[in-house]
């Protein structure tokens, strides 16, 4: 069955710094062209007998299929990344970037510098979730064929000249800045949540499975500051600093972390601790479900500070 061109998810006349002419041309000619190429290549492959086809011919078709397929998918992600009109990112998204890069500013500096370094050349800059370590990474990609194995791209910056030349000529840096101002962070965060939940499902712990474990409260700093209680015996650790304090945990103890609802904060912290060699899990439902079940809590110690 042929793949179909997806509609633009935003009004192409409404993005500051990126003209309607540029966006429509990019969408129709480059993205639309990739979809049409992919359908044509797949039709040719379907009519090609693999066993009797020369290897170079078969491999050539499969290479072109990969290029067209990834071009289609990355363009769809690129357009899905736009339309934010300067909207702020959700605090958990900012926390995830800070935990992986040190700060949101450090992530932004690296991502934009990578894009500007590709100016005059070609390729993609991708923000991807890497489940092996539960982290976010900025990935360089070229020729629509490079991907970080096992990772899920969340944000895509197209640095082929067709993405900016009509508006900015050779000034690729101005295009990168315009792209950054138009990121649709709510969609990026939704993709991040989906990727984290899919990768972390095997590491959930029920309320009856945490006895004897080292309990870590990893609610966001701003959330914990307003909290009045925590699970009995738990200590608070700032999830943004997991890369610093993970090595201080005893390697021979089972670890269970919890956040508010058992979503991506607790899940990614557990994944990062597992990558550091610890048997870490996250509490299903977080402290909210624990409290709803009538389980005991203890008062937060006065002046409780971050554990490091």
């Amino acid at each position: 069955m042929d793949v179909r061109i997806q509609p633009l998810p935003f009004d192409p006349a409404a993005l500051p710094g990126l003209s309607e002419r540029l966006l429509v041309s990019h969408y129709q000619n480059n993205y639309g062209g990739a979809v049409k190429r992919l359908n044509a290549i797949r039709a040719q492959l379907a009519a090609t007998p693999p066993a009797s086809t020369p290897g170079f011919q078969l491999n050539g078709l499969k290479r072109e299929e990969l290029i067209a397929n990834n071009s289609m998918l990355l363009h769809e992600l690129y357009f899905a990344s736009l339309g934010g009109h300067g909207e702020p990112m959700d605090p958990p998204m900012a926390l995830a970037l800070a935990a992986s890069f040190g700060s949101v500013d450090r992530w932004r500096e690296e991502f934009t510098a990578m894009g500007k370094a590709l100016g005059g050349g070609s390729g993609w800059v991708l923000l991807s979730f890497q489940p092996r370590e539960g982290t976010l990474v900025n990935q360089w990609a070229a020729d629509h064929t490079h991907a970080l194995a096992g990772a899920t791209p969340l944000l895509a910056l197209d640095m082929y000249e067709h993405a900016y030349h009509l508006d900015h000529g050779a000034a690729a840096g101005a295009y990168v800045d315009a792209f950054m101002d138009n990121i649709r962070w709510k969609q990026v965060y939704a993709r991040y949540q989906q990727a984290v939940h899919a990768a972390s499902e095997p590491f959930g712990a029920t309320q009856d499975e945490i006895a004897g474990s080292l309990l870590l409260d990893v609610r966001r700093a701003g959330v914990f500051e307003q909290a009045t209680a925590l699970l009995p015996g738990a200590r608070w650790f700032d999830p943004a600093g997991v890369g610093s304090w993970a090595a201080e945990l005893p390697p021979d103890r089972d670890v269970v972390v919890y956040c508010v609802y058992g979503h991506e904060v607790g899940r990614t912290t557990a994944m990062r601790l597992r990558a550091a060699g610890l048997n870490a899990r996250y509490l299903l439902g977080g402290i909210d479900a624990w409290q709803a079940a009538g389980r005991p809590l203890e008062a937060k110690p006065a002046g409780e500070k971050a554990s490091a």
Side-chain angles (χ1 to χ4, degrees):
M1 183 172 65
D2 283 353
V3 291
R4 296 189 177 187
I5 296 174
Q6 300 297 308
L8 272 176
F10 55 82
D11 179 359
L15 271 59
L18 299 171
S19 72
E20 181 177 11
R21 176 172 172 251
L22 170 69
L23 292 166
V24 170
S25 173
H26 192 175
Y27 170 77
Q28 291 180 343
N29 296 315
N30 302 102
Y31 164 59
V35 174
K36 293 173 184 176
R37 285 197 309 277
L38 178 60
N39 286 330
I41 293 165
R42 285 180 173 174
Q44 187 170 351
L45 278 167
T48 299
S52 60
T53 299
F56 72 88
Q57 184 177 340
L58 180 62
N59 285 345
L61 281 171
K62 294 302 291 185
R63 179 181 182 276
E64 292 303 314
E65 181 189 32
L66 175 62
I67 291 173
N69 203 350
N70 276 0
S71 179
M72 176 188 71
L73 294 172
L74 290 176
H75 274 103
E76 289 178 352
L77 179 59
Y78 170 78
F79 290 123
S81 300
L82 292 171
H85 306 293
E87 70 178 25
M89 66 178 68
D90 292 294
M93 188 75 241
L95 171 66
L97 290 169
S100 295
F101 294 93
S103 68
V104 174
D105 287 342
R106 180 62 178 79
W107 164 77
R108 185 182 300 271
E109 180 182 356
E110 181 178 281
F111 191 89
T112 57
M114 289 172 65
K116 292 174 182 180
L118 278 169
S122 59
W124 297 84
V125 183
L126 308 175
L127 172 65
S128 298
F129 175 66
Q130 199 266 87
R132 165 66 171 78
E133 298 176 55
T135 57
L136 292 166
V137 295
N138 287 330
Q139 184 209 328
W140 171 91
D143 200 26
H144 310 302
T145 59
H146 293 78
L148 181 61
T152 301
L154 309 175
L155 174 69
L157 169 59
D158 188 345
M159 286 308 302
Y160 284 82
E161 286 192 348
H162 64 243
Y164 60 86
H165 195 269
L166 283 177
D167 280 0
H168 299 284
Y175 156 71
V176 173
D177 293 337
F179 173 88
M180 300 299 290
D181 289 340
N182 282 287
I183 293 175
R184 195 177 180 189
W185 279 111
K186 289 191 180 301
Q187 292 303 313
V188 177
Y189 177 50
R191 288 190 287 274
Y192 172 66
Q193 286 182 300
Q194 185 177 25
V196 169
H197 279 243
S200 61
E201 281 302 308
F203 311 130
T206 68
Q207 295 175 3
D208 294 325
E209 293 176 330
I210 69 173
S213 299
L214 182 64
L215 291 178
L216 309 184
D217 187 314
V218 295
R219 287 174 285 181
R220 290 187 290 113
V223 173
F224 184 77
E225 184 179 348
Q226 302 298 319
T228 59
L230 65 170
L231 266 64
R235 293 173 58 198
W236 182 70
F237 284 77
D238 187 349
V242 60
S244 300
W245 51 257
E248 300 178 11
L249 299 178
D252 57 346
R253 291 284 304 278
D254 290 342
V255 176
V256 173
V257 304
Y258 67 87
C259 56
V260 180
Y261 301 114
H263 293 329
E264 67 279 354
V265 176
R267 290 169 182 248
T268 55
T269 303
M271 293 171 75
R272 294 197 66 175
L273 293 176
R274 294 182 71 87
L278 296 164
N279 183 26
R281 296 183 293 168
Y282 64 90
L283 179 62
L284 292 164
I287 192 173
D288 182 73
W290 178 275
Q291 188 171 14
R295 302 260 180 166
L297 294 170
E298 65 182 30
K300 185 177 75 173
E304 174 80 0
K305 300 292 184 181
S307 299

